Amino acid sequence: MKLPEVLDEIGMSRSAFYRMRARGEAPRCVRLPNGQIRVRRSDLDTWWSTNCHDLSD
């Protein structure tokens, strides 16, 4: 997934995402040879399941 798609899905700004990434808290990213960043759907789903808690409790 392209970074704007990921940011839209998780509702986060680009700068906040890069801060999380620097702390090692963001979904696993892949840097392409042209410098662009991608996130695999499976990595995003894993990140959601391990880092997001059910807020309805």
Side-chain angles (χ1 to χ4, degrees):
M1 296 176 67
K2 294 180 180 180
L3 188 56
E5 296 169 336
V6 173
L7 297 175
D8 186 51
E9 184 167 329
I10 64 177
M12 183 178 289
S13 70
R14 183 180 295 267
S15 59
F17 181 84
Y18 280 117
R19 283 192 302 271
M20 281 183 57
R21 189 169 178 237
R23 292 189 306 259
E25 299 172 356
R28 184 173 165 198
C29 299
V30 176
R31 183 174 294 275
L32 300 179
N34 64 4
Q36 293 182 353
I37 293 176
R38 297 287 193 270
V39 177
R40 290 184 179 98
R41 166 52 69 185
S42 59
D43 291 334
L44 183 60
D45 290 343
T46 300
W47 179 81
W48 271 121
S49 66
T50 58
N51 293 298
C52 297
H53 305 288
D54 186 5
L55 299 176
S56 63
D57 290 344

